[in-house]
Amino acid sequence: MEKHLADKASAPRARAAMTTTALIVAAGSGSRLGGGIPKQFRSLGGKPVLHWAVGSLIHHPAVQRVRVVVGQGQRERASEALGNLDVGELIEGGAERADSVRAGLSAIDGDAVLVHDAARPFCPSAVVDRLLASLEFFDGAAPVLPVGDTLAQIGDTLGDPVNRAGLARVQTPQAFRVRALKSAYDLWKGPSPTDETTVVRAAGMKVAAVEGDPALEKLTLPADFERAEQWLAGRLSPRSGMGFDVHAFSGEGPVMLGGIEIPHGRGLAGHSDADVVLHAITDALLGAASLGDIGDHFPPSDQRWKGAASSLFLARAVQLLRERGAVIDHVDCTVIAETPKIGPHRGAMRSKIAEIAGLSVDQVSVKATTTEGLGFTGRGEGIAAQAVASIRIGF
């Protein structure tokens, strides 16, 4: 691999605007990881690995579009994993990596392409900048990291050491001139390559080596997922949000609290099912992520929500947070009412809230208090609830 000439790449020189497509290869089966779920669809920090990989490139200012290559029969699962990320029509790949890349290349045009593995979910923007800058002087560029460990041959026992001088670990994304990569694949006659630099260099073209990043490590084994979770946790900032809701008693019972029916002589008035607990928790979560309030997402003027189950509101708030990469750590709700008594139902409420939000019961707290006969709750006119949510959210 040709060494990138840093002095040339950093030299001031006017460049014509270059149209760039990021091509995410997500057609693997992930068999080495086990568990029956391809690794690109496994959850990492609350959302699928594929969502992270696409999200890290789709927002880069130099990337005009992102296309995704999936395996046979994976379109539905990939669409679900991508959520609201706009990648156009999904491209079906082949049995080998080269087949998938070829399928992706046939569906794109433009000047440059970034070929990236979905199993590398985190791509720093600075790496993309270095790769694209190198295309002014080279047909391709790849991020690399030096080999820091001792290398040795292995069999049944540890064998002879291997000289690591001049060796590097090659990562993705890898950047290429689109026409150069297409023509290189047209000439390729060997077995399926492990990356595109092999194909381009075999065609006699030069590939720059730019500085990679540890964040680009590939997810292959369970320990890699543990490492990625730890890395991600260090990138997230803690936030908290508060929610409050109140509904007056009206009509006949029961009342809905925390997603369950609680026997009571009177019900609660509201456009939906008037579940003050779920409303307060929903508002707390939305507030923690700066996503407005429950009225913004489910306005009472919208007849779709008339009589709706408040579990829909909480589930949607959780979905919105996870689409932003947020991790929900804990929710705590205090019910303020003279009646009904909450204690006998607290366990069921915690379990139901945890089920709706995709949390463990230990991440949900429900408490109750009265106002000692004071105010509208003290007079038995209604029920109020106050909630606090703790989350972590990052890029």
Side-chain angles (χ1 to χ4, degrees):
M1 181 178 294
E2 295 292 328
K3 177 67 177 171
H4 177 58
L5 303 178
D7 56 336
K8 290 180 69 177
S10 60
R13 178 175 168 181
R15 294 196 298 269
M18 182 168 57
T19 58
T20 301
T21 300
L23 185 64
I24 311 292
V25 183
S29 62
S31 57
R32 279 185 290 177
L33 192 62
I37 302 175
K39 57 191 170 186
Q40 63 269 30
F41 303 128
R42 295 202 175 204
S43 178
L44 177 64
K47 61 183 178 180
V49 169
L50 177 59
H51 194 108
W52 285 108
V54 172
S56 67
L57 290 172
I58 202 169
H59 300 301
H60 193 285
V63 176
Q64 281 72 46
R65 64 187 68 86
V66 175
R67 302 300 304 275
V68 177
V69 184
V70 299
Q72 187 175 5
Q74 294 181 348
R75 288 178 184 269
E76 184 176 349
R77 177 171 266 178
S79 295
E80 183 180 344
L82 290 166
N84 62 351
L85 296 176
D86 183 11
V87 299
E89 185 178 354
L90 296 171
I91 304 164
E92 189 169 294
E96 303 288 346
R97 176 194 169 84
D99 300 326
S100 297
V101 175
R102 282 189 170 109
L105 287 173
S106 68
I108 67 172
D109 51 21
D111 301 310
V113 60
L114 290 159
V115 183
H116 190 42
D117 297 326
R120 301 180 192 267
F122 310 123
C123 182
S125 294
V127 174
V128 175
D129 294 338
R130 292 192 286 268
L131 290 167
L132 296 180
S134 297
L135 293 186
E136 185 177 0
F137 307 101
F138 299 91
D139 295 304
V144 302
L145 287 178
V147 177
D149 298 319
T150 297
L151 300 178
Q153 299 285 345
I154 58 170
D156 294 333
T157 61
L158 191 65
D160 294 333
V162 175
N163 185 0
R164 69 187 184 196
L167 297 181
R169 294 186 291 134
V170 184
Q171 303 176 309
T172 73
Q174 297 173 357
F176 303 95
R177 293 283 180 177
V178 170
R179 282 190 289 183
L181 183 55
K182 286 183 176 180
S183 65
Y185 259 116
D186 288 340
L187 296 171
W188 179 256
K189 303 299 182 184
S192 184
T194 57
D195 76 340
E196 281 53 64
T197 65
T198 305
V199 177
V200 171
R201 289 186 296 109
M205 304 177 194
K206 293 185 176 181
V207 178
V210 306
E211 182 184 354
D213 195 291
L216 282 169
E217 295 289 357
K218 191 174 184 179
L219 302 179
T220 303
L221 302 172
D224 300 326
F225 272 78
E226 294 174 10
R227 168 185 49 77
E229 290 280 8
Q230 292 171 357
W231 182 88
L232 185 59
R235 304 269 295 185
L236 299 177
S237 300
R239 290 191 191 178
S240 60
M242 186 173 69
F244 179 82
D245 194 44
V246 58
H247 284 279
F249 284 120
S250 177
E252 298 179 353
V255 295
M256 289 296 297
L257 290 175
I260 67 170
E261 289 187 353
I262 295 180
H264 193 255
R266 304 176 69 189
L268 291 172
H271 186 65
S272 63
D273 64 5
D275 190 325
V276 292
V277 172
L278 296 191
H279 291 185
I281 293 174
T282 298
D283 251 354
L285 288 170
L286 292 171
S290 300
L291 291 173
D293 60 32
I294 195 170
D296 294 329
H297 297 272
F298 309 100
S301 58
D302 191 334
Q303 291 304 303
R304 287 182 300 168
W305 312 122
K306 183 174 178 59
S310 297
S311 57
L312 297 174
F313 305 162
L314 177 56
R316 177 57 178 161
V318 170
Q319 180 185 1
L320 289 171
L321 264 67
R322 287 181 173 156
E323 285 176 356
R324 292 197 58 192
V327 177
I328 301 171
D329 288 323
H330 192 260
V331 294
D332 178 28
C333 185
T334 300
V335 183
I336 307 166
E338 297 294 325
T339 59
K341 297 300 182 184
I342 301 302
H345 309 285
R346 182 158 41 198
M349 291 169 65
R350 291 178 64 204
S351 296
K352 189 62 177 180
I353 294 166
E355 176 188 333
I356 298 167
L359 303 173
S360 69
V361 175
D362 288 343
Q363 292 175 284
V364 179
S365 171
V366 175
K367 309 186 301 296
T369 190
T370 70
T371 55
E372 302 294 337
L374 301 176
F376 70 92
T377 58
R379 294 189 297 270
E381 297 173 3
I383 300 177
Q386 182 169 322
V388 176
S390 301
I391 71 169
R392 286 171 290 144
I393 194 167
F395 60 91

